[in-house]
Amino acid sequence: MTAELREEVHSAARRARVASEELVLATRDRKDAALREMAAALRERSEEILKANTADLEAGRAAGLTENMLDRLALTEQRIDGVAEGLLTVAGLADPVGEVLRGGLLPNGLDLRQVRVPLGVVGMVYEARPNVTVDAAGLALKSGNAALLRGSSSAENSNTALVAVLRDALESAGLPADCVQLLPCHDRASVNHLITARGLVDLVIPRGGAGLISTVVANATVPTIETGVGNCHVYVDASADLDDAERIVLNSKTRRTSVCNAAESLLVHADVADVFVPRIAGAFRAAGVTVHADPVFTGLSGTEVVPATSDDWDTEYLSMDIAAKVVGTIDEAIAHINEHGSGHTEAIVTSDVKAARRFTTRVDAAAVMVNASTGFTDGAEFGMGAEIGISTQKLHARGPMGLSELTSTKWVVWGEGHVRPTS
């Protein structure tokens, strides 16, 4: 079975390679027309997609999935319309392929250019969220890449329905259906066969929990980009406007707890702790958030909290929970964040420009917010259209990954019979 599964995955990769070689020749107009066709098909066939999603939700409830996981899994007419609109947004974006990054005429007459080119075949390993299926397919297509999608078994019916719609739309638009393929999801070995298909697959992007990402990164021989894990902090500085701070903290935590840009930790400067801690603790209680607090925060809270353990500072809750601590200085806050953060998004609430600059300079994260919610770290919010994930690493891509992050570069040199002099 393992050998058969390996061949199934590798055969899909070989078909993707063939499709990518045709896709690289596609004009922007042709790719954009395909994206519009895909968006229209999603809306027209939403009923069959929702029927498939209902089957996944029923199976998920029977299997004991948490409400947050069910929320990630769920599709609605509104969410389908949202991902379809995302495809239209991507169609309206500039095509990165062929963009000249640098170059010019060399003194010897050679014409040198560094241009963006597709990566080729991109594998995506992800959990639960069927919207990722559409986002990944759309971004891969616009950037000239073929996509191999390995979703979770919990979303099998939804992903199967979505990919069927997308493949039909691609064929209607005159592009190879194999630009988008769904890999088997019931055997974890399919992930291993994908991430070790060096020479067949150019890049793998894992998107999900810490366990999934660490497994892929530890075992892949194909280049990978780490995404997704978000132990995000909000630091309320001594000079913060406390009305702004309360709004930002609550929005960062409660807007949607199942997403990677949700705040998981709160740090409060000691100079405003007497006033802000009881205020935010009461607001958390009213919102249904459980606070895991250090002794100082606990003593000031005036309401019931849970004593924090050392594990709480490193936890991505993805639930209505938050770790909270009082710090003596901004440097203590920065040190705490750099020790426990996941490199995703960190926020400071302050009216002190020097403090803001110190924070943005020294905090090690893909995105740093000043007087804004952590929830803004998102490809759409950054004007990229849909995103394929939030990269938390430092090589090639960091932060929301849009079209440009799904390309590589190529040096193109034009000569007129040039030869290099012998030494």
Side-chain angles (χ1 to χ4, degrees):
M1 180 62 185
T2 300
E4 293 175 0
L5 183 59
R6 179 180 183 275
E7 180 54 30
E8 184 175 357
V9 171
H10 285 195
S11 291
R14 285 190 286 270
R15 292 193 300 273
R17 178 68 65 197
V18 172
S20 73
E21 290 170 356
E22 181 174 340
L23 185 57
V24 76
L25 299 174
T27 63
R28 174 182 174 176
D29 284 347
R30 192 176 175 197
K31 290 186 289 186
D32 290 348
L35 288 165
R36 290 192 290 270
E37 186 83 23
M38 291 158 68
L42 289 171
R43 286 168 169 153
E44 291 168 5
R45 296 170 63 178
S46 62
E47 186 175 341
E48 68 184 83
I49 295 168
L50 291 174
K51 182 178 180 180
N53 185 246
T54 297
D56 286 332
L57 290 171
E58 290 175 352
R61 290 189 186 95
L65 290 184
T66 66
E67 286 303 315
N68 276 330
M69 291 303 294
L70 289 171
D71 177 59
R72 289 185 171 199
L73 178 59
L75 290 174
T76 62
E77 286 280 3
Q78 185 178 16
R79 288 186 179 181
I80 291 174
D81 189 68
V83 294
E85 192 62 35
L87 291 177
L88 296 178
T89 299
V90 172
L93 296 174
D95 190 338
V97 178
E99 177 188 358
V100 178
L101 300 181
R102 55 179 168 165
L105 194 64
L106 298 180
N108 64 1
L110 286 174
D111 190 315
L112 175 70
R113 296 287 187 275
Q114 185 185 26
V115 299
R116 288 196 185 278
V117 295
L119 290 162
V121 177
V122 176
M124 187 80 181
V125 182
Y126 54 104
E127 297 172 334
R129 294 179 179 171
N131 65 291
V132 174
T133 300
V134 180
D135 291 347
L139 286 168
L141 177 67
K142 180 68 178 253
S143 55
N145 299 293
L148 294 174
L149 307 176
R150 203 289 190 180
S152 64
S153 58
S154 62
E156 179 183 15
N157 294 298
S158 304
N159 289 337
T160 299
L162 288 167
V163 170
V165 171
L166 297 177
R167 286 171 61 88
D168 287 348
L170 283 167
E171 289 191 323
S172 296
L175 289 175
D178 285 336
C179 288
V180 179
Q181 295 180 73
L182 188 66
L183 299 180
C185 62
H186 281 287
D187 191 331
R188 291 184 179 180
S190 64
V191 174
N192 188 62
H193 296 320
L194 172 66
I195 67 178
T196 57
R198 193 171 182 89
L200 296 175
V201 178
D202 297 292
L203 177 71
V204 171
I205 303 171
R207 180 170 174 176
L212 168 69
I213 293 171
S214 62
T215 296
V216 170
V217 171
N219 294 289
T221 57
V222 171
T224 63
I225 293 179
E226 299 179 48
T227 68
V229 175
N231 184 15
C232 305
H233 299 71
V234 178
Y235 164 58
V236 178
D237 189 43
S239 65
D241 179 305
L242 299 187
D243 291 334
D244 287 348
E246 182 177 347
R247 285 193 299 271
I248 289 168
V249 170
L250 286 176
N251 183 263
S252 296
K253 176 69 261 182
T254 66
R255 185 190 69 86
R256 193 175 174 193
T257 59
S258 63
V259 292
C260 59
N261 59 23
E264 306 291 16
S265 294
L266 168 65
L267 303 175
V268 181
H269 196 288
D271 288 356
V272 293
D274 287 351
V275 176
F276 188 69
V277 167
R279 176 175 175 174
I280 195 64
F284 277 144
R285 184 171 184 177
V289 177
T290 299
V291 181
H292 303 251
D294 79 327
V296 179
F297 192 104
T298 299
L300 295 171
S301 65
T303 188
E304 185 177 351
V305 299
V306 176
T309 68
S310 58
D311 290 340
D312 283 307
W313 310 124
D314 299 303
T315 298
E316 184 187 29
Y317 294 109
L318 299 175
S319 63
M320 291 289 271
D321 293 84
I322 194 166
K325 181 179 183 179
V326 174
V327 295
T329 66
I330 186 174
D331 287 338
E332 184 182 344
I334 292 168
H336 180 95
I337 290 168
N338 286 342
E339 179 180 355
H340 299 286
S342 59
H344 193 294
T345 302
E346 310 297 352
I348 181 174
V349 186
T350 186
S351 60
D352 184 340
V353 173
K354 288 184 178 179
R357 287 177 175 163
R358 188 172 187 83
F359 190 86
T360 58
T361 300
R362 294 190 57 204
V363 162
D364 187 13
V368 184
M369 305 291 177
V370 179
N371 297 325
S373 169
T374 60
F376 284 106
T377 304
D378 175 87
E381 294 293 331
F382 281 15
M384 298 177 177
E387 69 181 33
I388 205 163
I390 309 290
S391 171
T392 55
Q393 66 173 32
K394 297 183 181 181
L395 298 178
H396 172 59
R398 197 178 194 195
M401 293 182 61
L403 294 172
S404 295
E405 288 73 28
L406 288 176
T407 63
S408 183
T409 63
K410 176 188 292 185
W411 289 97
V412 179
V413 184
W414 286 75
E416 296 179 347
H418 281 67
V419 294
R420 189 169 175 178
T422 58
S423 56

